[in-house]
Amino acid sequence: MTAAIHSLIDGLGDIPVITKPQLIRQKSRDHYWYSPILRERLEHVAADLVVCPRDEADVVAALAACYVKGVPVTARGAGTGNFGQSMPVRGGVVLDMTALDRVLEIAPGRVRVQAGAIMSDLDRACRTVSRQELRIHPSSWTSASIGGFVAGGSMGVGSVAYGLLRDPGNVLSARIVTMEATPRVLLLEGEDVQKVNHAYGTNGIITEVEMPLAPARDWEECVVAFPDLGEALRFAQGLAERVDLPKKLLSVIGAPVPERYLPGFDGLLADGPHVVLIMAAADAMAGIEACVRAAGRRFAYRLGAFERRPKPILRLYEYAWNHTVLQALKQDSSITYLQTLFPPPNHLDLIERTTARFGDEMAMHVEFIWFNGAPAALGLQLLHYTTPERVQAIIDELEAEGCPVFNPHAETLEEGGMKQIDREQLAFKREADPDGLLNPGKMLGWDDPGYDGKPRAFYLYPKRQPAALEADPPA
Ligand code: FAD
């Protein structure tokens, strides 16, 4: 450890820190290994120190101490992001937010909570206290933090009804700490929340968020199997349009994924190798059943809200969203994935064409989401990985067809979900992080203002950066 880091620790007073290299390395990682490209590029990344604030005052003190020394700070919730978002690519401090986990206020239609709270704990608290629940959560619900979801996630279970996390009203407010000589605490409300919503913590550390709540429902789970992918897609589209039947999850997973990779599914495929996964409100199940019958199908699996889950079937969302990739990776380490928007109104055609075009190289998996007032499909297709060039060629082909790909093999905001520089977030960074010390390397608009949305062949992160840290030889 360098003398600069020793001096930083002195400046932190009694704020807890982690100095064990092995633990620092662990806390410097997220689920970046979903991508073989990121795995190779970010393998060397490690912080110099992990700082564990206990409350907002600690966050303010920690940022002030780091600012004085020019030390970068990368926030971390649970570290379940898939794109290296929480990895400190320029070293410095990882700010572990997990001790800020208090639920502060539950009111009709909203909850105010500290950023480090784990979403399943938060949801349980809301259900117990007020029979309400989060509207959207990632499939990593049991492990991910609410602050990490707002700063680093995008959509998930619930998006079939409520859309993207960036859609208006899906995050009500955020309290943030700026990275300055005297850090300020700001409350961003309404549209202002978008300044930090999906900004990877590059322009403020979120200490609290206020999220909208929906009345809690009893959710049932069911699976319908189809012999033909097109038929499964049309069935799911019909259900997505039925806004009178409240749903939380509507996924289509094409062959050979269910049979090959989804644990417990081998007994569910008598009617066909493609499946539709549905989580629907208990009082919508009669309507769902009528739709299944009208399609000439039957439930391959159905679990009531209060029934015991048969082994080895998991919670249904643990086969969906990014969990599909996880289940596949457990069986086959050559698998990776893409995230592709199949925009309406031709989304079903686009999905079928894509499936036929890439054959065995790509297996289809889409999540139905509510997008601009209509159902759309977000593909999280499984890909047999060969080379970075082949991944890029596939992305180019999909985009040429009119299907934007949110590249999960890139760690910057722009190359991943945004596709372009978010001028508002960039302007806010100039205000809230004038020296560019928050999660450096993740906002291309800051490092490369001329970024034009074209894929970069190569983006070099210096292994180690700030002069303050480089000055001392290792102790
Ligand atoms: P981290 O990974 O710790 O951080 C994410 C980003 O937010 C980083 O850039 C970090 O620097 C920043 N950050 C964290 N806390 C703060 C803070 N307090 N202030 C400022 N910045 C902060 N994502 C989805 O969107 N939908 C899904 O359905 C989904 N399913 C997943 C399934 C699996 C199996 C896995 C491994 C991942 C999945 N993800 C999904 C990705 C990820 O789990 C979620 O986005 C999750 O909400 C991230 O929360 P986290 O606490 O792990 O954040």
Side-chain angles (χ1 to χ4, degrees), residues 111 113 118-124 126-127 132-138 141 146 149 157-158 162 170 210-216 219 248:
V111 59
V113 58
I118 299 303
M119 266 175 279
S120 52
D121 296 339
L122 170 61
D123 239 352
R124 272 187 216 109
C126 294
R127 201 171 257 270
Q132 300 185 89
E133 62 185 8
L134 288 171
R135 301 196 324 191
I136 308 171
H137 65 74
W141 182 67
I146 186 74
F149 188 40
V157 184
Y162 292 103
N170 279 339
E210 191 182 15
M211 303 298 287
L213 296 176
W219 296 103
K248 200 168 179 166

Side-chain angles (χ1 to χ4, degrees), residues 30-31 33-34 74-87 95 97 115-116 118-119 137-141 143-157 165 196 199-202 204-207 320-324 326 439 442:
D30 58 16
H31 284 57
W33 46 265
Y34 267 45
T74 301
R76 175 189 176 85
T80 65
N82 300 108
F83 322 129
Q85 300 106 303
S86 61
M87 294 179 67
L95 196 68
M97 297 296 289
I118 299 303
M119 266 175 279
H137 65 74
S139 62
S140 49
W141 182 67
S143 50
S145 74
I146 186 74
F149 188 40
V150 170
S154 52
M155 56 190 120
V157 184
L165 204 51
V196 295
Y200 289 1
T202 55
I205 301 298
I206 302 172
T207 54
W321 290 95
N322 289 13
H323 268 81
T324 318
L326 183 63
N439 205 354
K442 303 293 172 51

Side-chain angles (χ1 to χ4, degrees), residues 55-193:
D55 52 26
E56 188 177 85
D58 278 359
V59 174
V60 171
L63 294 194
C66 291
Y67 181 85
V68 166
K69 299 197 176 302
V71 174
V73 174
T74 301
R76 175 189 176 85
T80 65
N82 300 108
F83 322 129
Q85 300 106 303
S86 61
M87 294 179 67
V89 294
R90 294 189 188 158
V93 158
V94 160
L95 196 68
D96 180 337
M97 297 296 289
T98 49
L100 278 79
D101 63 353
R102 281 190 308 130
V103 179
L104 302 167
E105 185 191 359
I106 299 173
R110 62 191 181 86
V111 59
R112 198 161 55 81
V113 58
Q114 287 187 315
I118 299 303
M119 266 175 279
S120 52
D121 296 339
L122 170 61
D123 239 352
R124 272 187 216 109
C126 294
R127 201 171 257 270
T128 307
V129 171
S130 68
R131 283 289 297 164
Q132 300 185 89
E133 62 185 8
L134 288 171
R135 301 196 324 191
I136 308 171
H137 65 74
S139 62
S140 49
W141 182 67
T142 54
S143 50
S145 74
I146 186 74
F149 188 40
V150 170
S154 52
M155 56 190 120
V157 184
S159 288
V160 63
Y162 292 103
L164 281 53
L165 204 51
R166 291 264 291 194
D167 284 344
N170 279 339
V171 182
L172 299 177
S173 73
R175 208 171 139 99
I176 67 138
V177 181
T178 64
M179 182 62 166
E180 300 170 276
T182 309
R184 290 170 291 155
V185 178
L186 306 176
L187 180 65
L188 304 177
E189 295 176 287
E191 271 301 287
D192 275 351
V193 167

